[in-house]
Amino acid sequence: MSLNYDDVVRTGLSKQVADEIRSAILEGRLKIDERLPTEEELAKRFGISRPTVREALKRLAAQNLIRSRRGPTGGNFVTRPDPESLSKAITGAATLLVGVGAFDVDELVTARMETESVCARLAAGNRTEENIAAMAAEIGLQRSRSISGEDFCASDVRFHRALVDSTQNGPLRLMMYTVIESFIPITNMLTYGLFERQGAADSHESILVAIREQDADRAVERLRDHLTGMRVVLVQALERRAEKSAAGGPAA
């Protein structure tokens, strides 16, 4: 184990200690499952109080970088960062940015079109029968006449999540988490009530068929057609919202 105990200055101590330990984990100086020194040992080596050390450890636990274990062999141990937990933190920030209008329609649609096109191409080559079944199940649900608008939108997110999962590419799935979990719900919220469900389900079906038949070029083409149609509906939704706002009505 290697920690730089001399680099901590006297302000913002708990954050600095947490940052030093975090850097040691991410740089491999602290190994997965390695036990950290005790609170008393850390306090002595950093030259700070135990409550300050305890606060630093709480920060690390909140980031899922360490876990605690009780008992004679217990203590604080380095844990493997959870990609989903890390992605959720990024997604929260992205959702906020989208919600306050930091990105315009063209940016959102272009981001989805370019990144999901890569996913569609890889999915066509790497999909499993389980992936196909997951996407088909969502399409079946979307065709149900009894499904609510909210449930339809949730199914839309799950369909695109299943498409990304079909790539069998861990880093890409991590990168796409933000797109799927923040961009799609926000655009669905804006277009709620405007899109035609049967058309959306048919569009998903055409993507699925191409992926099932491992036709990468057609999968990309169908996906881009799908998102082009979404762009039209999104523009319409924003125009209606602006008209209502100008007329003094509710913007939503």
Side-chain angles (χ1 to χ4, degrees):
M1 179 182 67
S2 175
L3 287 172
N4 296 323
Y5 297 100
D6 298 328
D7 289 345
V8 176
V9 296
R10 302 298 101 186
T11 58
L13 292 177
S14 64
K15 181 180 184 302
Q16 290 180 67
V17 170
D19 287 347
E20 164 55 26
I21 297 174
R22 181 178 184 275
S23 294
I25 293 171
L26 297 181
E27 293 169 8
R29 290 182 282 126
L30 286 173
K31 306 301 182 184
I32 302 300
D33 295 326
E34 183 172 348
R35 186 178 182 226
L36 294 178
T38 65
E39 288 183 9
E40 184 176 1
E41 290 171 327
L42 286 171
K44 182 177 180 181
R45 296 185 190 184
F46 280 115
I48 58 178
S49 68
R50 288 184 65 178
T52 300
V53 169
R54 198 170 299 123
E55 180 62 30
L57 295 177
K58 286 181 181 178
R59 288 174 178 265
L60 293 166
Q63 297 172 38
N64 295 308
L65 292 174
I66 65 169
R67 68 183 186 281
S68 61
R69 191 170 70 202
R70 297 181 180 276
T73 60
N76 292 294
F77 296 83
V78 176
T79 190
R80 186 180 302 278
D82 177 12
E84 183 169 326
S85 296
L86 294 174
S87 295
K88 284 180 178 178
I90 300 172
T91 299
T95 300
L96 177 61
L97 288 170
V98 174
V100 300
F103 309 129
D104 63 28
V105 171
D106 282 336
E107 287 181 305
L108 288 173
V109 176
T110 299
R112 282 194 60 185
M113 190 171 289
E114 297 305 320
T115 56
E116 288 193 69
S117 291
V118 173
C119 293
R121 183 171 298 282
L122 288 175
N126 299 330
R127 93 291 185 275
T128 66
E129 290 304 315
E130 183 178 358
N131 297 139
I132 295 297
M135 287 184 279
E138 296 304 331
I139 293 171
L141 185 61
Q142 291 162 18
R143 294 195 186 284
S144 171
R145 294 188 177 183
S146 61
I147 188 175
S148 68
E150 182 179 352
D151 288 340
F152 186 97
C153 290
S155 176
D156 180 39
V157 172
R158 291 193 299 270
F159 173 84
H160 287 275
R161 187 188 302 150
L163 188 156
V164 172
D165 287 344
S166 301
T167 65
Q168 314 303 332
N169 185 296
L172 187 56
R173 290 171 63 187
L174 174 63
M175 292 165 55
M176 290 299 296
Y177 195 95
T178 296
V179 174
I180 302 302
E181 305 298 333
S182 63
F183 288 9
I184 296 179
I186 288 290
T187 53
N188 279 350
M189 182 176 67
L190 291 171
T191 58
Y192 181 82
L194 288 181
F195 59 80
E196 197 274 308
R197 294 186 189 180
Q198 185 64 44
D202 288 346
S203 184
H204 287 158
E205 181 83 44
S206 69
I207 296 169
L208 173 59
V209 170
I211 291 175
R212 179 191 291 129
E213 295 176 357
Q214 297 189 297
D215 189 333
D217 289 340
R218 183 154 53 94
V220 172
E221 181 182 354
R222 295 294 178 265
L223 176 75
R224 296 179 79 88
D225 288 344
H226 173 61
L227 294 179
T228 297
M230 186 205 74
R231 185 199 301 267
V232 173
V233 176
L234 189 53
V235 168
Q236 292 174 350
L238 292 174
E239 287 176 347
R240 291 192 182 189
R241 191 174 186 179
E243 289 172 1
K244 288 182 178 180
S245 179

